[in-house]
Amino acid sequence: MAEVYFSFFSFFLIIPICLLLILYFICRPNPVRVPIKNRHVLITGGSSGIGLALAHHCTQEGAEVTLLARSVSKLEEAKQSIKLATGRDVSVYSADVRDYEAVKRVVEEVGPIDVLVCNHGVYVPQELEEQELEEIRFMIDVNLVGTFHLIKAALPGMKKNRVEKGPGSIAIMSSQAGQVGIYGYTAYSASKFGLKGLAEALQQEVIEDNIHVSLVFPPDTETPGFAEETKRRPKLTSIIAASSGAMKADEVAKKSLIGIKSGTFIVPCNFEGFLLSIATAGLSPQRSYLMAFVEIMTAGIMRLAGLFFQWNWFKSIKKWHADK
């Protein structure tokens, strides 16, 4: 009987070991370290919130930082705050990411970029039926098309002499609303879901140029813009989104920078985001064979958990309408 139990135990031990060995050899792209010190880092939406916090951290690590945003006054304030905190200067440029020619001029002026952080974004929550088409176009143009503009303008310079310069990075700031659709986020989620397809395809296009893509999924984040935008958020949106608490911009920036430096493709920022990253991994690239193992072993459990979340959300929607 002891031999039977030993054989049974050995069988179930061999399976995960074999799976780990397989994953070790097939996970792609290969692990990488993207240095920040003495590199040129361009951050859009860098005048406040996550972008400004990220600029502080990159400057502290010795990067040459360029900030791009629309407001000249906010850019100057950001420049002074970084100077006071780190003693280092940063370059600031004003441009609207919706204007490709303006973006291209800035990129050509600042010179080759090693790390591009597409952090710009706008968020206007409302039910689709009630939302103006101009607001829908605005979100898609800034969040999605604006990201295309930045990357397209920066790629030629990023690719040049990349082998000699070392690994480069393109980090794209998405949202947990880019992993799961939420009531009141119809247009916003569409603009953020599109970034995942962009990032997955782009990573295949630039991997041989030693450029590595990271897709960051922050939850609600305490920024000046978020405080204003949530004032018009539908109450049902607040009820459903409350399952993932708000984070401080500095915390998101730290998580983002860790992901960028490790070349991680999907970068979650909190525990709920980690669970979402497993549940929505799909065909996304995965450098870590250990993380791939976790994704495989917990896929079924995550699907069950997701169904429970959906059950709870639809129950909240039904209750809301019944009370109304």
Side-chain angles (χ1 to χ4, degrees):
M1 183 61 72
E3 292 179 358
V4 173
Y5 280 122
F6 180 76
S7 299
F8 185 77
F9 177 77
S10 299
F11 175 74
F12 279 95
L13 188 63
I14 289 170
I15 291 176
I17 291 174
C18 290
L19 178 58
L20 280 167
L21 285 171
I22 293 169
L23 293 173
Y24 177 80
F25 287 105
I26 69 169
C27 280
R28 291 294 183 276
N30 290 318
V32 70
R33 296 300 301 176
V34 178
I36 297 297
K37 188 176 182 179
N38 298 324
R39 314 295 295 287
H40 183 197
V41 179
L42 188 146
I43 304 171
T44 64
S47 62
S48 63
I50 298 169
L52 178 56
L54 196 52
H56 273 274
H57 287 290
C58 289
T59 306
Q60 288 167 356
E61 293 200 15
E64 176 191 340
V65 175
T66 298
L67 303 181
L68 177 66
R70 285 181 295 174
S71 172
V72 175
S73 60
K74 287 184 178 180
L75 280 167
E76 287 300 326
E77 289 175 9
K79 182 177 181 177
Q80 291 303 315
S81 74
I82 294 171
K83 176 72 172 178
L84 288 171
T86 67
R88 294 172 62 94
D89 282 315
V90 299
S91 301
V92 295
Y93 291 85
S94 174
D96 189 329
V97 295
R98 294 174 294 175
D99 184 344
Y100 176 69
E101 293 303 322
V103 168
K104 188 177 179 182
R105 283 195 297 271
V106 170
V107 169
E108 289 173 350
E109 186 173 343
V110 302
I113 298 162
D114 296 302
V115 177
L116 174 65
V117 183
C118 301
N119 173 68
H120 57 273
V122 290
Y123 158 73
V124 187
Q126 196 169 18
E127 295 91 341
L128 178 61
E129 186 179 4
E130 304 297 327
Q131 195 153 41
E132 296 293 332
L133 281 172
E134 282 305 308
E135 287 183 336
I136 294 170
R137 291 193 186 98
F138 178 53
M139 279 187 278
I140 292 172
D141 285 346
V142 173
N143 299 348
L144 183 57
V145 180
T147 303
F148 276 102
H149 288 169
L150 260 297
I151 296 171
K152 184 171 176 60
L155 268 180
M158 290 188 73
K159 287 184 175 183
K160 194 173 182 181
N161 301 323
R162 182 49 54 199
V163 175
E164 292 81 3
K165 291 180 179 179
S169 171
I170 297 174
I172 301 171
M173 197 66 65
S174 182
S175 164
Q176 286 184 358
Q179 294 173 291
V180 58
I182 297 293
Y183 183 101
Y185 285 180
T186 313
Y188 181 67
S189 284
S191 71
K192 291 296 188 177
F193 264 84
L195 294 175
K196 186 176 182 183
L198 185 166
E200 288 182 354
L202 180 66
Q203 181 60 96
Q204 295 181 17
E205 293 180 9
V206 300
I207 188 62
E208 289 305 309
D209 297 294
N210 203 15
I211 298 174
H212 308 275
V213 179
S214 293
L215 189 59
V216 186
F217 292 103
D220 286 346
T221 305
E222 296 172 4
T223 64
F226 176 74
E228 287 300 314
E229 290 150 0
T230 49
K231 290 178 181 178
R232 62 171 286 180
R233 189 160 72 172
K235 189 169 183 180
L236 252 178
T237 306
S238 298
I239 292 170
I240 293 172
S243 58
S244 181
M247 290 181 68
K248 295 189 180 299
D250 190 65
E251 295 172 343
V252 173
K254 288 177 182 177
K255 297 282 187 180
S256 301
L257 191 55
I258 291 170
I260 291 168
K261 292 196 289 186
S262 63
T264 304
F265 183 78
I266 294 178
V267 183
C269 296
N270 60 5
F271 181 68
E272 290 83 358
F274 173 74
L275 297 180
L276 271 174
S277 71
I278 296 173
T280 61
L283 294 177
S284 296
Q286 179 55 265
R287 296 181 188 275
S288 168
Y289 72 95
L290 291 175
M291 190 61 204
F293 181 79
V294 172
E295 290 170 352
I296 292 168
M297 299 305 293
T298 61
I301 297 171
M302 288 298 102
R303 178 55 179 157
L304 180 61
L307 291 172
F308 271 110
F309 271 108
Q310 291 289 344
W311 169 75
N312 185 53
W313 294 339
F314 280 106
K315 187 175 72 170
S316 298
I317 293 167
K318 186 173 182 178
K319 183 179 184 300
W320 167 260
H321 283 285
D323 292 344
K324 190 177 178 182

